[in-house]
C-alpha cells in the first residue's frame, strides 16, 4: 500500500464530497423543510456555472465572476420559487417530480438558446492554476485545495446559521413540523422563498467551483443530482449534518474505490476481468451503501431531531 | 363554402406542383447520423459542416441527381441512435446511411442498416467486430479500425525508448479497442491501466494520482470529444507534464484546440490525417472549410467529407442508377475518388488501407493552434481483424 497515494486519494475524496455537500445541503433544506422534491436543483448548479463563466468573461477575473454568480443564482432561485414552485407545495410528490423535471428540460433548452450547445470554459487565474505540496512529496492542484477549504468554511457557516440564528431556528423547526411554525405566526412563505434562494446559492457555489475542473455544459447538473439524492438519503432527509457526513463518505468511497478496487480485485480474479469489472463495481459502491442504509436505517444515518420515527 | 373548396383545390394543385414531390424520386438520399445535442454536439457540428461543404463542392448533385441529406441526432445514446437509424431506413428509405461518431452507437444501429440492404458508411467509429467477424458487404468505413491509430502510437513509444507505460481510457467499445491496439505493438511494460466510466466520469483526479505514484516513463490516453479537453485541463492542473510525458490518440483535435491550445502545445498523437497533409484534395478541403466556417476542420470533418465523396464516386460510376445493389457495391469498393488523405483503398473487409502519421500540436503562421505531421509511422497499414472477415470480392 502506497500511503502517499492513499492520502492524495483522501484529498480527492474530500474534494468530491465537498461539491456533493454543497448540492445536498440546498436540496435537503428544500426537501426537508418545504417537503418539495426539487429535481431542478441540478439545473441551478448548471446555471451557477454558466453565470460564473459569463461573468468571468466580462470581468476577466474568476473571483469576481464567482462573487457575481452566487447572488445571480440566488435571485434566479427566488424567481423560480415564486413563479413555478410556490404552487406545488400543497401537491403530492409525483406532481412535484413531474413539474421540476419539466424545469430541467426548460433550463437545458434555455441554456442551449442563450449560450449555444458547445459549452464554456472558466479559465483559472495563475495563482490557482498551480500545485502546492499539502502532503510532502505530492504536488496537489491548488485549486482543489481551495475547493476543500471553501467547502469546510461554508459548511461551518451553514452550521452556525442553522444552529445559532433565528432563521436557523425557524429552519430547524420547519424541518420538524412545518404546520406548527406556520400556526405560530411565522411568515412561512417568505421563509420558504429565502431557504430556496439559499439552496440555489449553494448549488451555484458547487457549480462554479466544479466549472474550471469539468467543463460548463448543458445537462452538467443531471448526473451529479443523482449522487446528491444518494447523499441525502444516506445522511437523512432534512439534516445538514447528515448531508455533510454522507457527502464526505460518498466522496471518499467513490474516489478510493475507483483507485484501489482494481488492485484488490486482482488478488481474487484474473487481471483482465479485474480491469473490466473494477470501474463497474466502483461506480456501484455508493448505491450498495445506499441500499444498506435504507435496509438497516431507513430514516438515514443522521436524521433531524423528531424525524427518527 | 365555395371559397373553402376553392382554397382546397388550389392547395391540392400547389402540392402536386411542389418540387419536393417531383424531386423525391430523383434524388440521392443520404441519412447522416451524428451527435448534435449534448456536450459532444460540437463534433456533430463539425461533421455536418464538412458534409455541407462536400455537397457544395459537388454542386448539390451526384450524377445529375439532387443530393438530399437527412441529419439525425443520436443524442450520444446507442438506443436513440438505433431509433433514428431505423427511421432513416424504414421511413425515409435512404440509399446510404453515413456518420456515427461512437462505436457503441454504431454497434447498436449496425444490423438495422446492413440487413435492410442499405449501404452503411462509417465516418468515424471503427469497432473491431465490424472489421472482423461481423463484417458485412454493405458496410464501408472512411475512417479506420479503432486499433490502428493506437498501434501506430505503440510504435512511436518504442522508437522513443519508452519502457514503462501507464494507460488511461474510457470503459466502452472504442476505449477497449484503443487499449488493445497500443498493447499489441508496445514492447515495454505496462505499469498501470485505468478504464474509466464512460461517459459519466469527467473527473480524473483519482487516476492521475495513481499515475504520479506509479512513476511511468509515459502516459498514453484516449479521451474523445469533451473528455479530451477535460483530461488535458486536469493533467495540466496536476502538473504532471514535467515527470510523465503524454501521448494521446483522438484526445486533442481541431475542435478542442481553440479551447485548450496552450495546454496541448507540443503534444504528440498519431492520426491517419492532418490539416497540413500535402495532398491536393486535402488542401482544397482545408482551405475551403476554413474560408467557409472560420476554423480548422477536425479529423471527424475530414472523414465525413470523404464519406460523401466516396458515395459520389459510386453514384457517378453507376450513372445514378442505385437500383442495382451489386453494381453500386462494386463501385464503392473501387473507392475511385480523391481522398483528403491521398492514398486510400479498401481492404477485404471494406476498412481503409492507409498511412498513419505522427503529428504534433503547434501554431500556424497566423498563430492559431493546429497539428502538423512530423513523421510517417505506417505506410498502407491494414487492420488486424481483416483475417476474421469472410467477405470475398
Amino acid at each position: 500500500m502506497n500511503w502517499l497515494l492513499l492520502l492524495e486519494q483522501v484529498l480527492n475524496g474530500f474534494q468530491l464530497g465537498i461539491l456533493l455537500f454543497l448540492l445536498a445541503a440546498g436540496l435537503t433544506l428544500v426537501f426537508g423543510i418545504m417537503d418539495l422534491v426539487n429535481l431542478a436543483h441540478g439545473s441551478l448548479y448548471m446555471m451557477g456555472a454558466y453565470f460564473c463563466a459569463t461573468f468571468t468573461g466580462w470581468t476577466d477575473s474568476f473571483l469576481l465572476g464567482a462573487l457575481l454568480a452566487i447572488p445571480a443564482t440566488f435571485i434566479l432561485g427566488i424567481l423560480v420559487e415564486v413563479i413555478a414552485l410556490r404552487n406545488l407545495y400543497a401537491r403530492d410528490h409525483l406532481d412535484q417530480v413531474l413539474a421540476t423535471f419539466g424545469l430541467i428540460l426548460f433550463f437545458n433548452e434555455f441554456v442551449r438558446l442563450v449560450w449555444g450547445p458547445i459549452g464554456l470554459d472558466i479559465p483559472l487565474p495563475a495563482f490557482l492554476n498551480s500545485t502546492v505540496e499539502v502532503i510532502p512529496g505530492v504536488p496537489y492542484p491548488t485549486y482543489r485545495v481551495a475547493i476543500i477549504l471553501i467547502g469546510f468554511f461554508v459548511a461551518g457557516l451553514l452550521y452556525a446559521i442553522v444552529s445559532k440564528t433565528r432563521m436557523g431556528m425557524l429552519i430547524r423547526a420547519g424541518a420538524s413540523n412545518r404546520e406548527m411554525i406556520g400556526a405560530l405566526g411565522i411568515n412561512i412563505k417568505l421563509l420558504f422563498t429565502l431557504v430556496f434562494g439559499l439552496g440555489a446559492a449553494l448549488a451555484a457555489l458547487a457549480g462554479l467551483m466544479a466549472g474550471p475542473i469539468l467543463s460548463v455544459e448543458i445537462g452538467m447538473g443531471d448526473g451529479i443530482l443523482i449522487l446528491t439524492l444518494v447523499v441525502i438519503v444516506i445522511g437523512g432527509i432534512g439534516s445538514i449534518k447528515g448531508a455533510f457526513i454522507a457527502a464526505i463518505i460518498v466522496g471518499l468511497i467513490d474516489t478510493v474505490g475507483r483507485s484501489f478496487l482494481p488492485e484488490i480485485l486482482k488478488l481474487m480474479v484474473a487481471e483482465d476481468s479485474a480491469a473490466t469489472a473494477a470501474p463497474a463495481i466502483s461506480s456501484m459502491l455508493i448505491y450498495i451503501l445506499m441500499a444498506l442504509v435504507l435496509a438497516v436505517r431507513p430514516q438515514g444515518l443522521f436524521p433531524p431531531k423528531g424525524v427518527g420515527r | 363554402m365555395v371559397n373553402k373548396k376553392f382554397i382546397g383545390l388550389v392547395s391540392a394543385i400547389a402540392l402536386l406542383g411542389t418540387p419536393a414531390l417531383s424531386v423525391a424520386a430523383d434524388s440521392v438520399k443520404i441519412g447522416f447520423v451524428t451527435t448534435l445535442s449534448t456536450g459532444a454536439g460540437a463534433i456533430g457540428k463539425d461533421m455536418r459542416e464538412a458534409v455541407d461543404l462536400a455537397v457544395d463542392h459537388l454542386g448539390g448533385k451526384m450524377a445529375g441527381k439532387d443530393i438530399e441529406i437527412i441529419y439525425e441526432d443520436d443524442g450520444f445514446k446507442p438506443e436513440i441512435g438505433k431509433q433514428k437509424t431505423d427511421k432513416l431506413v424504414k421511413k425515409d428509405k435512404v440509399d446510404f446511411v453515413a456518420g456515427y461518431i461512437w462505436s457503441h452507437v454504431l454497434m447498436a444501429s449496425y444490423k438495422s442498416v446492413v440487413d435492410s440492404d442499405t449501404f452503411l458508411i462509417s465516418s468515424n467509429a471503427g469497432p473491431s467486430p465490424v472489421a472482423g467477424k461481423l463484417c458485412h458487404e454493405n458496410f464501408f468505413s472512411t475512417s479506420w479500425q479503432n486499433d490502428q491509430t493506437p498501434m501506430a502510437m505503440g510504435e512511436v513509444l518504442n522508437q522513443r525508448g519508452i519502457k514503462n507505460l501507464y494507460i488511461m481510457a474510457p470503459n466502452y467499445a472504442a476505449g477497449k479497442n484503443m487499449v488493445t491496439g497500443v498493447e499489441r505493438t508496445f514492447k515495454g511494460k505496462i505499469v498501470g491501466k485505468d478504464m474509466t466510466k464512460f461517459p459519466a466520469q469527467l473527473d480524473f483526479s483519482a487516476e492521475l494520482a495513481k499515475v504520479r505514484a506509479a512513476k511511468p516513463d509515459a502516459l498514453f490516453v484516449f479521451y474523445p470529444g469533451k473528455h479530451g479537453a477535460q483530461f488535458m485541463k486536469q493533467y495540466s492542473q496536476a502538473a504532471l507534464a514535467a515527470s510523465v510525458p503524454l501521448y494521446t490518440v483522438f484526445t486533442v483535435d481541431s475542435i478542442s484546440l481553440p479551447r485548450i491550445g496552450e495546454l496541448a502545445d507540443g503534444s504528440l498523437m498519431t492520426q491517419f490525417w492532418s490539416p497540413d497533409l500535402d495532398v491536393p484534395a486535402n488542401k482544397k478541403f482545408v482551405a475551403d472549410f476554413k474560408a467557409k466556417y472560420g476554423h480548422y476542420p477536425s479529423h471527424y470533418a475530414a472523414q465525413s467529407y470523404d464519406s460523401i465523396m466516396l458515395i459520389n464516386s459510386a453514384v457517378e460510376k453507376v450513372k445514378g442508377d442505385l437500383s442495382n445493389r451489386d453494381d453500386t457495391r462494386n463501385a464503392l469498393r473501387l473507392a475511385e475518388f480523391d481522398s483528403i488523405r491521398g492514398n486510400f483503398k479498401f481492404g477485404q473487409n471494406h476498412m481503409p488501407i492507409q498511412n498513419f502519421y505522427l503529428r504534433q500540436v503547434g501554431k500556424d503562421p497566423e498563430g492559431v493552434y493546429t497539428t502538423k505531421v512530423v513523421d510517417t509511422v505506417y505506410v498502407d497499414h491494414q487492420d488486424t481483424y481483416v483475417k476474421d472477415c469472410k467477405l470475398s470480392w
Side-chain angles (χ1 to χ4, degrees):
Chain A
M1 176 74 70
N2 183 335
W3 293 106
L4 286 181
L5 177 60
L6 181 65
L7 279 176
E8 191 176 354
Q9 299 299 23
V10 168
L11 279 183
N12 286 329
F14 271 119
Q15 180 249 304
L16 173 62
I18 286 295
L19 288 184
L20 287 176
F21 163 69
L22 293 175
L23 276 166
L27 195 60
T28 202
L29 281 175
V30 172
F31 194 10
I33 298 169
M34 304 187 239
D35 199 26
L36 173 79
V37 185
N38 177 24
L39 293 188
H41 199 65
S43 298
L44 295 166
Y45 165 88
M46 171 177 75
M47 292 307 295
Y50 268 94
F51 281 145
C52 180
T54 307
F55 294 141
T56 303
W58 288 351
T59 60
D60 233 2
S61 151
F62 172 62
L63 295 183
L64 273 180
L67 284 178
L68 289 171
I70 294 173
T73 320
F74 178 78
I75 294 168
L76 177 72
I78 286 182
L79 285 176
V80 169
E81 200 270 350
V82 171
I83 295 169
L85 300 180
R86 186 165 273 191
N87 308 312
L88 293 171
Y89 294 138
R91 310 277 280 273
D92 66 20
H93 284 166
L94 189 60
D95 289 359
Q96 296 170 355
V97 165
L98 280 175
T100 52
F101 185 72
L103 278 177
I104 294 182
L105 301 179
F106 166 78
F107 275 112
N108 283 349
E109 208 48 47
F110 176 74
V111 166
R112 194 191 314 282
L113 285 175
V114 176
W115 283 280
I118 296 181
L120 301 171
D121 271 301
I122 304 180
L124 279 178
F127 74 96
L128 285 176
N129 208 355
S130 57
T131 54
V132 286
E133 291 198 9
V134 183
I135 312 161
V138 179
Y140 193 74
T142 315
Y143 183 64
R144 292 186 192 246
V145 178
I147 291 180
I148 296 173
L149 294 179
I150 289 173
F152 276 107
F153 173 72
V154 171
L157 198 68
L158 209 56
Y159 174 78
I161 290 176
V162 171
S163 64
K164 304 280 186 249
T165 64
R166 183 178 151 78
M167 184 178 165
M169 184 190 76
L170 296 175
I171 288 174
R172 277 178 292 138
S176 300
N177 193 331
R178 54 198 196 107
E179 285 85 8
M180 187 55 85
I181 69 161
L184 288 174
I186 306 301
N187 186 346
I188 196 95
K189 259 190 168 174
L190 181 66
L191 179 71
F192 282 6
T193 308
L194 285 177
V195 168
F196 196 88
L198 180 65
L202 288 171
L205 180 61
L208 69 89
M209 290 205 304
I213 299 181
L214 317 172
S215 70
V216 180
E217 58 171 14
I218 296 164
M220 63 186 280
D222 303 353
I224 202 159
L225 178 78
I226 298 170
L227 274 182
T228 310
L229 289 171
V230 172
V231 164
I232 65 171
V233 167
I234 293 176
I237 293 161
S239 160
I240 298 286
K241 182 176 136 201
F244 183 76
I245 297 171
I248 299 292
I249 292 177
V250 167
L252 285 175
I253 288 188
D254 188 67
T255 310
V256 176
R258 241 161 56 201
S259 96
F260 294 107
L261 204 63
E263 272 68 34
I264 297 170
L265 278 181
K266 262 179 218 163
L267 302 176
M268 293 178 264
V269 294
E271 195 161 321
D272 267 5
S273 21
T276 327
I281 297 179
S282 67
S283 54
M284 281 193 289
L285 279 180
I286 53 165
Y287 301 102
I288 296 171
L289 175 70
M290 179 177 78
L292 281 177
V293 169
L294 279 175
V296 179
R297 225 177 127 81
Q299 70 274 37
L301 295 179
F302 305 94
K305 289 193 184 75
V307 179
R309 292 173 291 258
Chain B
M1 259 342 250
V2 176
N3 219 3
K4 262 191 188 165
K5 267 187 190 160
F6 179 66
I7 290 171
L9 197 66
V10 169
S11 342
I13 292 166
L15 262 178
L16 281 174
T18 45
L21 281 175
S22 51
V23 164
D26 210 31
S27 65
V28 178
K29 273 188 161 188
I30 302 170
F32 198 89
V33 180
T34 184
T35 309
L36 297 169
S37 56
T38 79
I43 301 177
K45 180 172 159 276
D46 230 40
M47 291 172 91
R48 183 157 74 178
E49 287 173 350
V51 170
D52 289 344
L53 183 68
V55 173
D56 279 2
H57 280 178
L58 296 172
K61 294 208 185 285
M62 289 180 180
K65 289 176 155 190
D66 285 333
I67 305 172
E68 191 186 344
I69 311 253
I70 304 169
Y71 293 100
E72 291 293 350
D73 175 18
D74 63 25
F76 209 160
K77 291 199 174 89
E79 65 275 17
I80 297 180
K82 182 178 187 313
Q83 269 175 30
K84 296 292 175 73
T85 305
D86 283 340
K87 180 216 156 223
L88 287 170
V89 170
K90 292 188 182 130
K91 184 161 162 280
D92 300 324
K93 301 206 186 321
V94 295
D95 303 302
F96 301 87
V97 182
Y100 299 100
I101 302 173
W102 311 103
S103 291
H104 55 322
V105 179
L106 176 69
M107 288 309 292
S109 314
Y110 185 68
K111 273 189 80 63
S112 303
V113 190
V114 294
D115 288 355
S116 71
D117 217 18
T118 308
F119 293 112
L120 175 58
I121 320 279
S122 172
S123 312
N124 189 61
S128 53
V130 301
K133 285 203 181 75
L134 291 180
C135 72
H136 195 282
E137 55 177 7
N138 291 335
F139 174 78
F140 291 83
S141 163
T142 54
S143 52
W144 20 259
Q145 197 279 315
N146 284 344
D147 295 22
Q148 287 181 293
T149 310
M151 278 171 75
M153 187 47 97
E155 299 287 359
V156 171
L157 293 167
N158 292 336
Q159 286 165 15
R160 296 191 164 228
I162 305 292
K163 297 275 176 280
N164 298 306
L165 182 68
Y166 202 103
I167 294 176
M168 283 176 64
N171 194 22
Y172 82 113
K176 288 174 192 160
N177 280 171
M178 297 290 164
V179 172
T180 314
V182 74
E183 283 176 340
R184 188 176 297 128
T185 52
F186 176 63
K187 294 199 179 77
K189 187 171 179 262
I190 288 160
V191 291
K193 180 162 87 177
D194 278 311
M195 303 296 285
T196 56
K197 202 176 163 200
F198 187 77
Q201 187 179 334
L202 285 168
D203 187 358
F204 307 109
S205 54
E207 290 76 11
L208 286 172
K210 286 172 71 181
V211 172
R212 190 196 310 282
K215 297 194 175 60
D217 297 336
L219 171 62
F220 167 87
V221 304
F222 160 67
Y223 280 107
K226 66 171 180 180
H227 289 68
Q230 312 283 23
F231 177 85
M232 293 304 292
K233 253 198 257 179
Q234 294 170 22
Y235 172 77
S236 146
Q237 283 168 8
L240 272 169
S243 51
V244 186
L246 182 67
Y247 295 83
T248 67
V249 290
F250 304 113
T251 301
V252 177
D253 56 36
S254 305
I255 299 169
S256 63
L257 273 177
R259 287 169 66 177
I260 59 160
E262 222 171 298
L263 301 179
D265 199 3
S267 80
L268 290 162
M269 68 204 79
T270 44
Q271 242 335 336
F272 74 99
W273 171 85
S274 181
D276 68 327
L277 208 57
D278 196 6
V279 171
N282 192 44
K283 288 192 155 158
K284 178 174 157 65
F285 164 65
V286 174
D288 290 357
F289 191 98
K290 277 177 73 183
K292 189 169 180 191
Y293 305 112
H295 58 94
Y296 275 103
S298 63
H299 65 275
Y300 301 102
Q303 295 151 191
S304 305
Y305 181 84
D306 261 8
S307 300
I308 301 303
M309 291 306 175
L310 169 70
I311 292 172
N312 178 57
S313 74
V315 176
E316 293 282 350
K317 192 102 191 159
V318 297
K319 302 196 170 55
D321 177 19
L322 296 172
S323 57
N324 188 330
R325 310 305 285 173
D326 290 338
D327 285 357
T328 313
R329 187 176 304 111
N330 287 332
L332 283 169
R333 281 169 172 166
L334 291 175
E336 283 176 353
F337 68 104
D338 291 329
S339 166
I340 43 87
R341 67 202 97 188
N343 253 350
F344 176 96
K345 62 173 188 278
F346 280 121
Q348 206 65 32
N349 55 355
H350 298 175
M351 298 301 276
I353 297 176
Q354 59 190 340
N355 295 356
F356 283 85
Y357 306 95
L358 180 67
R359 32 175 237 182
Q360 186 167 29
V361 174
K363 282 184 180 169
D364 69 4
E366 280 134 48
V368 180
Y369 279 104
T370 178
T371 56
K372 293 182 175 63
V373 172
V374 291
D375 198 6
T376 306
V377 186
Y378 281 136
V379 176
D380 287 345
H381 187 257
Q382 184 165 32
D383 66 277
T384 44
Y385 297 92
V386 64
K387 60 182 189 300
D388 302 328
C389 174
K390 298 284 188 290
L391 282 183
S392 60
W393 45 281

